[in-house]
Amino acid sequence: MAGTNLLALIDDIATLLDDIALMSKVAAKKTGAVLGDDLALNAQQVTGVSADRELPVVWAVAKGSFINKLILVPLALLISAFAPWLITPLLMIGGLYLCFEGFEKILHSLTHKKEHSDQLNLPEGTDLVAYEKNKIKGAIRTDFILSAEIVVIALGTVQSAAFISQVLVVSLIAFVMTAGVYALVAGIVKLDDLGLYLRKKFPDGLLNTLGMGLVTFAPKLMKTLSVVGTFAMFLVGGGIIAHALPHWEAPLSSLPPALETIVSGLIPMLINLGIGVLAGAFVYLVLQYVVDPALSKIRS
């Protein structure tokens, strides 16, 4: 009898694990769409740090990201269980923040064309420790919003499952995504160091050529990711806001099937981008010309 109960328990555990594996696979596919934006944003956030501090900064942001997940996973589960209507407004606030941050970055780049974000061109007297801390704080704040979106998407795929399955699947996705993203970010920021190592280790030959290519390619990749990361803020933030707005479909039936596939994927992205830019500009103007003057009057 005891042996039968034990076998039944093992069978139940195996079934549960199988279900969790299947649901995790589905959740990973849906959250994978955010992974590219997450990678670009986080790689961008650690640019401008000296070479010897790149990995410590990435690790500091990764630890902050894990803490974000430790806060967000139980919070999302509680909200989903007791106040599911709160999820959309909270995500929209996060989306507006991302749009604002993206708009502010573009505005800063346009009004400070001669300034560069890399450490070698920082103004004299800049406190490098404070500069690094601000970089880390900014990256962790941005990660919090992206993490919230990942957690909510993962939770949405297991909404009808048992509570224990929800906890395990969402926790697993949160951990895997965080580990994966920051491992890739660490690899990207150290590409130039790998190139230098190959050039020194192998004075000639294919590996030397590869090293030279990596040294040349790495700065261009980081600049590209910086631009992509800024646009990702608008795409992610605008996408969050767009999901809460009434949906509409463009008339694509008259287009050839191949072109319809391309356009049907491009139009939502352009809409999200446009909404993101407009939302960022709106928040910036409100803060600049309404909130700041009001706070100044209160302080005076």
Side-chain angles (χ1 to χ4, degrees):
M1 190 70 165
T4 304
N5 291 336
L6 179 60
L7 288 174
L9 177 61
I10 293 172
D11 184 61
D12 289 342
I13 293 171
T15 302
L16 176 62
L17 291 175
D18 187 54
D19 290 342
I20 289 169
L22 182 61
M23 287 185 288
S24 297
K25 186 177 179 180
V26 174
K29 283 183 179 179
K30 291 195 174 184
T31 53
V34 188
L35 187 61
D37 294 332
D38 201 354
L39 177 61
L41 276 171
N42 284 293
Q44 174 217 7
Q45 294 284 7
V46 297
T47 57
V49 180
S50 61
D52 62 318
R53 294 294 304 162
E54 285 173 342
L55 288 183
V57 167
V58 171
W59 174 236
V61 178
K63 286 190 291 185
S65 181
F66 278 115
I67 292 171
N68 285 343
K69 304 298 192 302
L70 286 174
I71 295 169
L72 285 166
V73 170
L75 187 61
L77 289 165
L78 285 171
I79 291 174
S80 177
F82 298 105
W85 55 271
L86 262 178
I87 291 178
T88 298
L90 290 174
L91 275 177
M92 284 192 70
I93 292 171
L96 286 170
Y97 172 77
L98 274 183
C99 295
F100 163 72
E101 194 173 14
F103 186 82
E104 196 176 38
K105 282 179 182 293
I106 289 180
L107 199 64
H108 184 271
S109 67
L110 291 175
T111 55
H112 299 78
K113 290 182 178 179
K114 294 183 180 180
E115 293 181 14
H116 300 280
S117 61
D118 56 275
Q119 185 176 313
L120 295 176
N121 291 288
L122 287 173
E124 289 186 13
T126 298
D127 186 339
L128 297 183
V129 175
Y131 172 79
E132 185 178 296
K133 285 182 178 179
N134 286 334
K135 275 276 185 182
I136 293 169
K137 287 179 182 177
I140 292 173
R141 281 197 304 268
T142 302
D143 174 272
F144 188 88
I145 297 157
L146 288 169
S147 295
E149 189 180 19
I150 288 171
V151 168
V152 169
I153 291 172
L155 184 59
T157 63
V158 292
Q159 196 72 49
S160 59
F163 181 73
I164 185 63
S165 296
Q166 292 182 19
V167 172
L168 292 174
V169 170
V170 175
S171 300
L172 179 63
I173 291 296
F175 174 80
V176 170
M177 286 291 182
T178 304
V181 164
Y182 287 99
L184 285 171
V185 170
I188 289 170
V189 299
K190 300 310 286 184
L191 272 179
D192 52 350
D193 289 344
L194 175 60
L196 288 172
Y197 171 79
L198 290 175
R199 291 198 66 187
K200 290 179 181 178
K201 187 74 174 177
F202 305 96
D204 49 32
L206 181 62
L207 290 176
N208 181 272
T209 304
L210 176 62
M212 187 180 299
L214 288 175
V215 170
T216 305
F217 173 70
K220 294 179 180 178
L221 175 63
M222 292 305 295
K223 285 182 180 179
T224 301
L225 286 175
S226 180
V227 175
V228 171
T230 301
F231 277 96
M233 289 181 177
F234 292 124
L235 289 173
V236 175
I240 291 172
I241 296 166
H243 284 311
L245 299 176
H247 292 283
W248 60 275
E249 293 183 1
L252 304 174
S253 56
S254 60
L255 296 174
L259 187 59
E260 182 180 334
T261 303
I262 296 171
V263 173
S264 63
L266 186 62
I267 286 178
M269 185 176 71
L270 292 175
I271 291 172
N272 291 345
L273 181 61
I275 290 174
V277 173
L278 290 174
F282 174 76
V283 174
Y284 178 83
L285 290 173
V286 169
L287 291 176
Q288 187 78 12
Y289 297 105
V290 178
V291 176
D292 283 353
L295 290 176
S296 297
K297 286 182 180 180
I298 292 171
R299 288 167 186 165
S300 61

